[in-house]
Amino acid sequence: MTAIDDAHDSVQQDRYDDGAGLRAERRLFDGDTGRFPLPLRQVLVRLLRGPYLDGSAEPKVWQLVLDRRADISAFVAELFLRLSLDTERKIALLVPVDVEAPHTTTIVPRKPLRREETLIALRLRLLLDRHAGTGTDAVISRAGAREILEEHRQPGAVDDKRLEELTDASLARLLALKLILPTELDDEYRVSGALALALPFETIDEIPAYIAAIDRSAGDTLLDADTEEEL
């Protein structure tokens, strides 16, 4: 063996030792074979738990997502998920992908929004776009949500008590999904930027036609709440 070979073997051993040492430093529990550092693992768990990460509220976490987006995307792709980023609104979430293969299900449950929840969400999606670039938050009050549902009452529906119940239930569901966020006022909510990713449209001009189609349908919509947490 030549001196060059000895030097090469020494370098390779040093690299192996460095790698083993790094893995040992990152070992968080017995049998841990993970290769990601703790902060990145924490971000992955939060993305998987959902419904999304708000980079405006947590700039350091947002920067980590941007810095390691390739690693995150590669990891979640193994689970049939796609990392979706809105860099303008600083929102990150995981979206299930469609896989045409038998016995394949995504890790994030897809529970459809009910008709009333969808109607409110779509109107808020329009509101969100109208506020884009204005520097002001899009907000909705409980009274405003009730007016939306009253406007889209199904033919023959006259039960005001039921309307109140649907309003409260719909707002509670959208709050649980963090598509709307509480404010200092009890009956006023801020529209989350995540709504733009949860309800993607090529153009907002498509939304009124979508709402009209819901009004023509007596059943629930098939719109998926991909960001939903287990309720």
Side-chain angles (χ1 to χ4, degrees):
M1 181 177 293
T2 67
I4 294 177
D5 291 333
D6 288 340
H8 178 267
D9 290 343
S10 177
V11 170
Q12 292 296 101
Q13 183 63 41
D14 288 343
R15 288 178 178 173
Y16 176 81
D17 291 341
D18 289 344
L22 186 59
R23 286 192 296 273
E25 287 180 11
R26 292 176 176 174
R27 191 174 299 131
L28 302 175
F29 52 87
D30 289 342
D32 182 8
T33 59
R35 62 185 179 88
F36 291 151
L38 177 60
L40 183 54
R41 295 192 198 191
Q42 291 171 329
V43 166
L44 283 167
V45 170
R46 292 182 59 184
L47 284 168
L48 287 167
R49 290 182 62 187
Y52 61 85
L53 288 178
D54 184 347
S56 297
E58 299 181 88
K60 290 184 179 179
V61 174
W62 174 250
Q63 190 58 52
L64 180 58
V65 170
L66 294 181
D67 292 343
R68 302 299 296 269
R69 63 191 298 178
D71 289 322
I72 294 172
S73 296
F75 179 86
V76 300
E78 302 284 359
L79 305 175
F80 309 115
L81 299 171
R82 176 174 56 83
L83 176 64
S84 182
L85 299 179
D86 186 327
T87 54
E88 181 179 346
R89 297 184 174 92
K90 296 185 177 180
I91 296 293
L93 57 83
L94 300 180
V95 180
V97 297
D98 294 325
V99 180
E100 296 182 1
H103 313 298
T104 302
T105 56
T106 57
I107 195 171
V108 180
R110 291 187 176 189
K111 188 174 181 181
L113 290 174
R114 299 179 183 87
R115 176 181 183 274
E116 290 75 18
E117 296 160 359
T118 303
L119 286 168
I120 294 175
L122 288 169
R123 292 285 287 271
L124 295 185
R125 177 70 173 83
L126 285 169
L127 187 63
L128 190 66
D129 274 63
R130 288 170 186 156
H131 277 73
T134 65
T136 60
D137 292 329
V139 297
I140 180 71
S141 65
R142 184 191 181 281
R146 185 188 185 282
E147 289 178 4
I148 292 171
L149 296 187
E150 186 173 25
E151 179 183 341
H152 295 279
R153 271 186 171 184
Q154 294 187 14
V158 294
D159 188 345
D160 287 342
K161 181 181 178 182
R162 177 60 176 162
L163 179 62
E164 300 293 341
E165 292 173 347
L166 287 172
T167 300
D168 289 334
S170 298
L171 290 173
R173 179 78 183 285
L174 295 176
L175 271 169
L177 297 175
K178 295 186 180 180
L179 297 179
I180 58 174
L181 303 169
T183 67
E184 295 178 354
L185 302 178
D186 289 340
D187 291 330
E188 185 173 277
Y189 309 93
R190 178 168 65 85
V191 184
S192 168
L195 195 64
L197 294 179
L199 303 178
F201 286 88
E202 292 294 331
T203 168
I204 61 172
D205 293 339
E206 301 173 19
I207 296 179
Y210 199 103
I211 292 175
I214 293 174
D215 282 338
R216 291 194 298 268
S217 174
D220 290 342
T221 72
L222 298 179
L223 187 62
D224 284 337
D226 289 333
T227 60
E228 180 183 12
E229 289 182 302
E230 184 177 353
L231 301 181

